[in-house]
Amino acid sequence: MEQYIIKGGNPLVGEVDINGAKNAALGILAAAIMTDSTVLIENLPDVNDINVMLEAMSQIGVKVERVTSHAALISSKGINGVSVDYEYIKKIRASYYLLGALLGKYKEAEVPLPGGCNIGSRPIDLHLKGFRALGAEVSIRNGSICAKAEHLHGAHIFLDTVSVGATINIMMAACMAEGRTIIENAAREPHVVDVANFLSSMGANIRGAGTDVIRIRGVERLHSTEYSIIPDQIEAGTYMFAAAATHGDVLVKNLIPKHMEAISAKLIEMGCQVDTFDNAIRISCKGRLNGTNVKTLPYPGYPTDMQPQISVALSMAQGTSIVTESIFENRFKYMDELARMGAMVKVEGNTAIITGVDALTGARISAPDLRAGAALVLAGLAAEGITVIDDISYIQRGYENFDGKLRELGAQIERISTEKEAQKFRLKVS
Ligand code: UD1
């Protein structure tokens, strides 16, 4: 099993390029099967979740040609089934986007019900409510969601909770339903807008993506397109916090500054210098960070996927900070690992009370999930001494070349799989 080994204490300095947004790519790949024509998708991140999604698509007969490591041609003519295997759903929940895409195009889909995951129970009742409103019969049989419709028709759908997944799934199905659909209380995340833009580039008629009311007029068919995915807001934010936590100076390039506003605002509150350019942000941070309070919220609020990263920075900041997680119920699991590095944290329900310490110290820790795993890498980079992180496959699901990019910024980090490699690293950095 691979691990990261890190010698902390170096400020990160330099420039880093951000890849395409994983979460946008997952929706866009699913949506790409809604036309019989070939679609070219560019700026795909080369990360494990994307490879699993492409495999799930191949399993139902979609032809996938990886033109480069960051581009794929998708051709769905002659698809041989509408039933997705459990193996894929087990690995990535977001393969449930195939439900909305298949239902929209073929009026039938069978996708295993995703279970809970490491950050919470994650129900999908709103997705199903939306499909039913569009006229589909939806049942759960033998662990799978079976959705079928003679005709899909437009509907007025109010989402009880702001949900990225439900908004994208319903939007896809509604694109090929007869008549007009209105989704109220829709999610406004950048990747919802990106999936909507992609569908529009295939001929879908969608208005209002990026606001909380999305209006869709169904079309009979979608056509070929070439599309480039937006930069990854969360990958960019992770490097911004890596700069802050290590008191570094990093130019994070190829991002959309508008998507980073909630994150930049917090870094400024914490005493970092944040300079915004057309498609880059420079973070420089001298001296100890200030503590602050933060609550995760749907976009344009502070993202839940950036909660562990800010908490790591706050664990070394001046004073006491309060972090409130309002999206997922189980997103503080990594706090026990952080405490093993010397952080002073107390979790009560959905709130973490963090009293900043002067320094963290390296320890052997485990990544409990993707974003918390990345945050623990930041903790290791900032800590005194050596940190070894287990279960890094979680991190590799969503960060392309994470250790390589960090090394470019001066970090002492290696991916290792044997004790001999660990020894070699210790010798090198001692
Ligand atoms: C997406 C992101 C994930 C991010 C999350 C919130 C992808 C692939 N994943 O996940 O990285 O952390 O948005 O920004 O894009 N809910 C329900 N019923 C539903 C659906 C959701 O109650 O049918 C609740 C969830 O339990 C949660 C909240 O709504 O409390 C938001 O979840 P949602 O936005 O749907 O998250 P995902 O789309 O799963």
Side-chain angles (χ1 to χ4, degrees):
M1 288 277 240
E2 284 193 322
Q3 298 167 312
Y4 285 136
I5 186 164
I6 301 166
K7 163 85 174 6
N10 288 3
L12 297 190
V13 177
E15 299 183 359
V16 63
D17 272 308
I18 298 309
N19 288 106
K22 170 186 80 83
N23 286 347
L26 290 167
I28 286 171
L29 287 173
I33 71 165
M34 296 182 72
T35 171
D36 289 333
S37 311
T38 301
V39 169
L40 173 67
I41 302 172
E42 294 177 305
N43 205 28
L44 269 179
D46 189 8
V47 295
N48 289 353
D49 272 14
I50 297 303
N51 296 329
V52 175
M53 185 68 174
L54 291 172
E55 280 169 35
M57 290 161 61
S58 299
Q59 177 247 330
I60 51 170
V62 177
K63 287 189 194 68
V64 174
E65 189 190 333
R66 205 73 194 240
V67 202
T68 68
S69 56
H70 293 120
L73 280 168
I74 309 291
S75 172
S76 302
K77 201 168 177 190
I79 200 168
N80 58 22
V82 292
S83 170
V84 180
D85 211 275
Y86 181 52
E87 194 192 324
Y88 304 108
I89 289 282
K90 223 170 42 180
K91 291 188 189 152
I92 48 160
R93 295 176 53 79
S95 39
Y96 63 32
Y97 284 141
L98 290 168
L99 195 57
L102 287 166
L103 181 65
K105 171 87 196 306
Y106 298 97
K107 312 294 175 254
E108 189 174 2
E110 186 178 327
V111 174
L113 195 60
C117 84
N118 291 356
I119 59 171
S121 74
R122 304 186 78 169
I124 60 158
D125 54 310
L126 297 174
H127 305 228
L128 307 189
K129 169 177 146 170
F131 297 147
R132 288 192 178 105
L134 294 173
E137 268 181 40
V138 183
S139 58
I140 311 285
R141 260 181 287 146
N142 308 115
S144 288
I145 307 153
C146 307
K148 200 172 178 176
E150 283 294 313
H151 302 284
L152 288 177
H153 54 74
H156 197 142
I157 300 163
F158 190 93
L159 297 179
D160 309 301
T161 304
V162 178
S163 160
V164 170
T167 304
I168 291 178
N169 236 339
I170 296 167
M171 186 168 71
M172 287 193 292
C175 272
M176 296 186 81
E178 237 174 77
R180 197 167 73 137
T181 296
I182 300 176
I183 307 175
E184 303 238 28
N185 201 26
R188 291 178 280 170
E189 267 67 4
H191 49 296
V192 172
V193 180
D194 209 34
V195 177
N197 287 343
F198 171 72
L199 286 162
S200 298
S201 78
M202 291 203 296
N205 185 340
I206 304 173
R207 299 281 177 270
T211 74
D212 57 5
V213 183
I214 300 181
R215 293 184 164 79
I216 302 155
R217 193 166 282 285
V219 295
E220 258 177 50
R221 62 182 61 81
L222 297 173
H223 55 68
S224 167
T225 187
E226 294 183 1
Y227 194 83
S228 182
I229 292 167
I230 54 167
D232 197 309
Q233 174 206 28
I234 307 301
E235 188 196 17
T238 302
Y239 286 103
M240 287 164 70
F241 270 103
T246 61
H247 304 289
D249 186 341
V250 174
L251 184 69
V252 186
K253 297 194 306 187
N254 184 34
L255 49 67
I256 298 174
K258 177 87 192 140
H259 296 166
M260 310 308 301
E261 280 174 353
I263 296 161
S264 296
K266 282 293 153 195
L267 284 162
I268 292 167
E269 265 176 55
M270 292 168 73
C272 297
Q273 165 93 25
V274 177
D275 298 307
T276 301
F277 305 95
D278 283 352
N279 63 351
I281 294 182
R282 180 179 169 189
I283 307 293
S284 56
C285 180
K286 292 188 190 74
R288 199 164 173 200
L289 297 167
N290 305 320
T292 189
N293 299 333
V294 62
K295 181 175 183 179
T296 62
L297 286 169
Y299 189 83
Y302 187 88
T304 172
D305 283 359
M306 287 299 304
Q307 180 261 100
Q309 299 88 323
I310 193 170
S311 299
V312 163
L314 291 173
S315 74
M316 293 166 282
Q318 231 153 20
T320 297
S321 304
I322 297 176
V323 178
T324 308
E325 172 56 59
S326 76
I327 312 285
F328 294 113
E329 79 257 24
N330 197 14
R331 220 169 181 176
F332 284 134
K333 266 198 193 159
Y334 67 94
M335 287 291 186
D336 290 335
E337 304 298 289
L338 204 55
R340 299 188 61 242
M341 300 178 75
M344 281 176 58
V345 288
K346 191 164 187 276
V347 176
E348 281 177 8
N350 69 343
T351 302
I353 301 151
I354 303 174
T355 304
V357 293
D358 289 342
L360 298 176
T361 52
R364 170 100 185 247
I365 50 176
S366 294
D369 61 69
L370 165 61
R371 304 303 173 187
L376 290 172
V377 170
L378 306 195
L381 294 171
E384 290 168 356
I386 303 267
T387 294
V388 177
I389 307 188
D390 291 316
D391 296 331
I392 64 169
S393 56
Y394 282 118
I395 304 171
Q396 291 161 344
R397 290 177 54 171
Y399 288 88
E400 183 170 335
N401 187 23
F402 197 34
D403 52 319
K405 287 187 184 187
L406 290 167
R407 271 194 301 278
E408 286 282 304
L409 296 172
Q412 291 181 293
I413 177 171
E414 296 283 349
R415 219 166 36 177
I416 54 162
S417 5
T418 62
E419 190 44 43
K420 206 168 152 197
E421 287 170 329
Q423 296 285 10
K424 205 168 134 196
F425 178 85
R426 283 174 210 273
L427 268 177
K428 193 170 98 184
V429 299
S430 65

